[in-house]
Amino acid sequence: ELYVKRPRGISLSADLTRRSMAYEATRLEVMTLILEPAEKEIEAALNTAGFALDSAMNRRLRFDQTISQAVADARSEAKEARRELSSQVRIFERESKQVVRDTHSELESVAMEVLKQASVVDVAGLVDVEFAQLRSSLEMRVRAVAATQVEEINAIIEQISSIVWSKEESGLNDVSLIDQVEQLETHVEALTERAAQDFELVQIGMAVNIVTHEFENSIRSVRDNLRRLKTWAQQNSALRPLYSDLRASFDHLDGYLKLFTPLHRRLYREPVEIRGSDVQRYLHDVFDSRLDSESTELRVSEAFEQMSVHMYPSTLYPVIVNLVDNAAYWLSTYNGDRVIELDKTDTAITITDSGKGISLGDEKAIFDLGFSRKPMGSGYGLYVAREVLRRDGADIQLAPARADRGARFEILLPEVIEE
């Protein structure tokens, strides 16, 4: 059996951890769906062939060979492990004895020097202050050496004490010091990576906010100038085509700017009623041109169109836009029917696509910060969507995979008010 085991005592990055989990899931799937059925099929073929020869002898021979090989492999692996353990024990014994000898020798050397110095001192000729200082100096010298050595030896003892001796009732499930260190290192690495990504996300948010603000100011100026130009165009027929073209282009640009309105939280001090029909209209404004060019259909159920949700637009709109955008991206290279469907249940809004679904092993990772399968993807979308929804008492999850559909996301709502 070919099996790559995850090394103990080594912390893995978030990406390597996801790869390890995906590998394990894929390995189990291959074992269950391919190797085990193949073994049974081969066994059946051999049994069938064996009947033509000497069935009993053939089966006995294959049985004995398989068991003997398994026993030989087990003995070899266990023998190698015992040999390594014995080697480490000998190294430990040699090193520990050396530590004992070195510490004893050092302490005795200092002790002899202190005793020698103390024996030649004429304590009768010392005044009280000199007597106290000398006694304290000699005492502290020998105690300092002893304290240092005790600390060093105790550190070694603590390492030895941390060894988990597997017992028959607990087996390999005991958590050793190396497992704890691995978990801590993994946690620290994940926090470090997340801190860097959070900082990058904050920078992006600040930049978008500044650009949007400046863009709004520029649009306001262009709008005023177009209003002034309209007066001249009414009086000058040569300017009318120019004004018409400029006005059409500006209205198109201004329309895109208005799409940002539901995304600004500062415009809404309290949650408002968000109607499904308004969300549908917004999605058509954003995606119709792109979906038409990619032959993708956006379907909205009657339940979704008639719903009314009490939430912040800046919370719900970006999440739905992100899910539709992701679905459209992956469907753009899909060979089957390309459909994105929005629906509403009693407690959730669902966004489902007709594609291949989420790859095996990625189901949990898709909400991790920095995870993305898109080329040059930032890995912020679903992570931010989940954090924003949870902040407002909602949540998002990936529904279990089914053969009759692709990916299906469920936005769990804090409160749903039906019309």
Side-chain angles (χ1 to χ4, degrees):
E1 178 183 353
L2 297 178
Y3 179 35
V4 179
K5 294 183 178 180
R6 175 172 176 169
R8 293 184 63 188
I10 299 177
S11 63
L12 301 180
S13 65
D15 181 61
L16 288 178
T17 299
R18 287 191 292 266
R19 290 172 182 264
S20 176
M21 295 174 60
Y23 162 77
E24 184 62 27
T26 304
R27 187 185 73 86
L28 292 176
E29 183 179 22
V30 170
M31 290 288 296
T32 304
L33 301 180
I34 299 178
L35 293 184
E36 291 180 1
E39 289 180 355
K40 293 179 181 179
E41 187 175 344
I42 292 173
E43 183 71 19
L46 291 175
N47 288 336
T48 302
F51 282 122
L53 300 173
D54 185 352
S55 177
M57 181 178 295
N58 185 25
R59 174 172 288 191
R60 180 80 251 179
L61 179 60
R62 287 188 285 109
F63 180 81
D64 290 344
Q65 286 179 341
T66 302
I67 299 302
S68 297
Q69 185 62 47
V71 171
D73 292 342
R75 286 174 174 172
S76 177
E77 292 178 4
K79 182 178 180 181
E80 181 62 29
R82 290 194 299 270
R83 183 185 296 112
E84 178 64 22
L85 177 59
S86 298
S87 174
Q88 293 298 323
V89 168
R90 287 193 295 270
I91 294 174
F92 164 75
E93 184 178 7
R94 182 176 67 250
E95 294 295 331
S96 61
K97 288 181 178 179
Q98 186 62 45
V99 169
V100 170
R101 287 194 297 266
D102 291 344
T103 54
H104 176 74
S105 175
E106 182 181 359
L107 179 58
E108 285 302 310
S109 175
V110 174
M112 292 303 295
E113 290 181 10
V114 170
L115 291 173
K116 181 178 179 180
Q117 185 177 353
S119 65
V120 299
V121 174
D122 181 12
V123 295
L126 298 176
V127 297
D128 291 345
V129 175
E130 293 175 339
F131 174 81
Q133 289 179 344
L134 179 59
R135 183 185 63 182
S136 176
S137 174
L138 295 176
E139 182 182 357
M140 290 300 296
R141 182 180 176 189
V142 70
R143 287 185 181 277
V145 173
T148 300
Q149 293 183 354
V150 168
E151 183 178 358
E152 179 183 351
I153 294 174
N154 283 339
I156 298 175
I157 293 174
E158 289 176 359
Q159 294 180 64
I160 299 172
S161 302
S162 67
I163 297 175
V164 176
W165 301 99
S166 61
K167 299 179 177 58
E168 200 170 311
E169 61 271 15
S170 59
L172 298 177
N173 295 323
D174 296 311
V175 178
S176 66
L177 179 62
I178 194 172
D179 296 318
Q180 297 176 26
V181 172
E182 176 188 341
Q183 293 174 4
L184 289 174
E185 289 181 350
T186 301
H187 185 59
V188 169
E189 185 171 346
L191 289 177
T192 302
E193 181 180 350
R194 176 169 176 175
Q197 292 170 330
D198 282 346
F199 180 73
E200 183 178 350
L201 185 59
V202 169
Q203 287 183 310
I204 293 174
M206 293 173 61
V208 170
N209 189 53
I210 293 172
V211 170
T212 303
H213 178 72
E214 295 299 324
F215 190 56
E216 289 174 348
N217 292 335
S218 299
I219 286 293
R220 192 177 300 110
S221 175
V222 173
R223 186 182 292 112
D224 293 339
N225 289 326
L226 279 175
R227 194 176 295 112
R228 295 167 57 192
L229 181 61
K230 180 180 180 180
T231 303
W232 287 90
Q234 290 174 343
Q235 303 297 327
N236 191 336
S237 59
L239 289 177
R240 291 173 188 171
L242 175 62
Y243 170 78
S244 298
D245 291 343
L246 285 174
R247 185 72 204 188
S249 298
F250 172 78
D251 288 343
H252 185 69
L253 185 62
D254 195 30
Y256 276 111
L257 180 62
K258 290 178 181 177
L259 295 178
F260 284 95
T261 300
L263 311 184
H264 285 286
R265 192 180 184 94
R266 67 174 184 268
L267 299 180
Y268 301 93
R269 301 301 180 184
E270 298 292 338
V272 299
E273 296 303 319
I274 302 176
R275 299 181 181 277
S277 57
D278 294 334
V279 178
Q280 177 185 6
R281 189 178 308 108
Y282 183 86
L283 293 175
H284 281 300
D285 290 340
V286 175
F287 290 107
D288 269 0
S289 177
R290 172 183 171 187
L291 295 181
D292 288 344
S293 66
E294 296 174 353
S295 301
T296 301
E297 180 183 359
L298 181 65
R299 296 178 184 173
V300 177
S301 70
E302 184 177 355
F304 180 90
E305 187 175 359
Q306 295 181 357
M307 77 172 182
S308 181
V309 183
H310 193 68
M311 291 182 69
Y312 286 102
S314 58
T315 296
L316 186 59
Y317 274 73
V319 174
I320 295 179
V321 168
N322 181 68
L323 293 175
V324 173
D325 177 71
N326 284 344
Y329 174 83
W330 294 111
L331 285 175
S332 64
T333 57
Y334 183 61
N335 293 327
D337 293 335
R338 301 175 182 177
V339 179
I340 303 172
E341 184 174 358
L342 282 75
D343 197 5
K344 162 68 179 51
T345 66
D346 291 338
T347 59
I349 294 173
T350 63
I351 294 91
T352 310
D353 66 66
S354 59
K356 297 182 293 185
I358 306 298
S359 301
L360 182 66
D362 287 351
E363 294 91 343
K364 296 182 179 179
I366 57 175
F367 292 105
D368 291 346
L369 180 61
F371 177 83
S372 177
R373 293 298 184 193
K374 291 182 180 179
M376 305 302 291
S378 66
Y380 291 143
L382 291 177
Y383 168 79
V384 173
R386 185 178 62 178
E387 294 299 312
V388 170
L389 285 171
R390 288 179 174 178
R391 179 189 61 187
D392 288 352
D395 208 342
I396 184 174
Q397 66 183 17
L398 178 67
R402 280 185 9 203
D404 60 340
R405 60 169 169 77
R408 176 176 179 174
F409 289 88
E410 297 176 344
I411 302 174
L412 307 178
L413 301 172
E415 181 183 359
V416 178
I417 303 175
E418 296 292 341
E419 289 268 291

